[in-house]
Amino acid sequence: MSQEPSNNPAAFDPSSEEQALNSQFKKILMLFGVIVAGLAAYGLIKHNARVAAEEAAEAFTSAKTADDCDLVVKKHPGTPAAANALLLKATLHWEKNEKSSSIEALKAYLAQHKDHAFYKETLLTLATRLEAMGEKGEAKAAYERVIAELPGSELAQLSQIRLGDMLWADGKEEEAKKAYEEAGSKFPGVTAFEGDSKTRLDWIAANLPTKEVDPPPAPKPDPKAAPAMPNLKLNSVEGGLSPTIKLGDAPAMTQPAPPAGATPSIPPPPAPISAPSAAMPKPATPPAPAAPAPEVPKSATSPAVQVPATPPAPAPAAPATPAPTPAPAPEAPKKP
C-alpha cells in the first residue's frame, strides 16, 4: 500500500522546540544589534569628547590675558582646560597686584574642579595668599579647611604650623605652642615638617622677640679723628716750581743739597748790545745775580753738612766804545 501525501495542515506546523529556537535567535539578533549600536554611540561620543578636549586645550594654550581665560571657561566648562584657565587667571591678577580678583578666581576653581590635579595645592595657595593680604580670619578658616579635607597629608601638617605662626605673631605663645605640638602628634607618620615644629618650640622656649626692632643709629664720625689733609706749598725758585709737602709735624721736604765743593750752575748773562752810534748812551750792565745757597736738611741721625759759599762770578767787562772820528778840516784856498 503506497503512502500518499497528507493534506492535513497540522502536519506542517513547527514543533515547540523549533518555535523556542526561533524565539531565542531573534533575541540574539536584537541583542547583537543593541551592542553594535552602543559601540557606535560610544565611539562617536569618545570622538566628540576628544575633539572638544583638543579645542579646549588649544584655546587655553593661546590664552594670554584674563579675558582670554574667561572665554575658555565659558566655551569649555568643566574641562581640564577650563580649570587651568582659572589658575592662570588667578596668577595674572596676582602679578598685577589685583589680589581680590586673584582670590575670586581661586575660589571659583575650588568650587568647580574638585577632581583636578592641582586641587590640593590650590587649597593651601588660597590660605597663604589670604594671609599675605592680611585677612587673618579668612586665612585661618582656609588653613583649617586644608586640615579637614586633607587629613594625614603633608599639606595639612604645614597648615597646622602656619596656624601656630599666626598665633605666635599675635602674641599668643601658649596657643601657638599647643598648635606646634599638635603638628607633631596630630599627623602620625608624617615627618615632612616635624623638624620645623620642634624648631619653633625651641624658639618659644628661648623667649625670642616676635617683632622687628629698629637698629641703633650709626655713630657720627669724629672730626678730630679724621686724617689731616697734606699742606702743599709751591715755592718759586730759579729754574721752575719746587713743591714742598708738609705732613703734620714731619720735617719739610726740600730739594737735595748738591755735594760739597760743587758749584751750582748759573745761566749765562745776556749778550751785550753794542751801541750803534756815539750819540746813544751806553746801557748799564746789571751785575750777575748771586746763586742762593741751597738749604741743607738737618736730621737727628745725620750731621749737618757745611757747604762753602760760592763767590759771585765777576761781571763781564763792557766792550769799549770806539771814539768818534773827527771830521777832516777844510783846506785853505791857494793864493793866486
Side-chain angles (χ1 to χ4, degrees), residues 228-246:
M229 295 297 295
N231 184 14
L232 303 180
K233 286 186 178 182
L234 298 179
N235 298 331
S236 177
V237 297
E238 183 181 358
L241 298 177
S242 175
T244 301
I245 301 177
K246 183 179 181 182

Side-chain angles (χ1 to χ4, degrees), residues 38-127:
L39 290 176
Y42 176 78
L44 181 61
I45 293 174
K46 197 72 174 179
H47 174 74
N48 293 336
R50 182 174 64 253
V51 172
E54 291 177 355
E55 292 179 356
E58 185 178 356
F60 167 71
T61 304
S62 60
K64 304 298 180 182
T65 62
D67 295 336
D68 297 340
C69 295
D70 290 336
L71 290 176
V72 175
V73 174
K74 184 177 180 180
K75 293 182 178 180
H76 309 279
T79 61
N84 294 333
L86 285 173
L87 293 178
L88 178 60
K89 179 182 177 181
T91 302
L92 293 175
H93 281 305
W94 188 264
E95 291 177 351
K96 294 180 179 180
N97 203 23
E98 299 172 355
K99 298 181 179 180
S100 299
S101 300
S102 177
I103 296 299
E104 292 177 0
L106 290 178
K107 290 181 178 180
Y109 168 86
L110 294 174
Q112 301 173 12
H113 303 278
K114 293 185 178 181
D115 297 332
H116 194 255
F118 300 110
Y119 177 81
K120 299 178 181 179
E121 290 78 5
T122 307
L123 272 177
L124 184 61
T125 301
L126 176 63

Side-chain angles (χ1 to χ4, degrees), residues 107-181:
K107 290 181 178 180
Y109 168 86
L110 294 174
Q112 301 173 12
H113 303 278
K114 293 185 178 181
D115 297 332
H116 194 255
F118 300 110
Y119 177 81
K120 299 178 181 179
E121 290 78 5
T122 307
L123 272 177
L124 184 61
T125 301
L126 176 63
T128 55
R129 290 190 178 180
L130 286 171
E131 182 183 0
M133 293 172 60
E135 303 292 340
K136 295 183 178 180
E138 295 186 19
K140 181 181 178 181
Y143 283 126
E144 292 175 350
R145 179 181 176 183
V146 176
I147 297 173
E149 294 190 17
L150 306 174
S153 63
E154 297 178 356
L155 299 180
Q157 187 181 45
L158 178 58
S159 299
Q160 182 69 29
I161 294 176
R162 293 304 304 160
L163 287 175
D165 293 343
M166 294 176 64
L167 292 171
W168 192 16
D170 292 338
K172 303 176 181 179
E173 292 187 359
E174 294 299 328
E175 298 181 13
K177 184 178 179 180
K178 182 179 179 181
Y180 294 142
E181 291 174 351

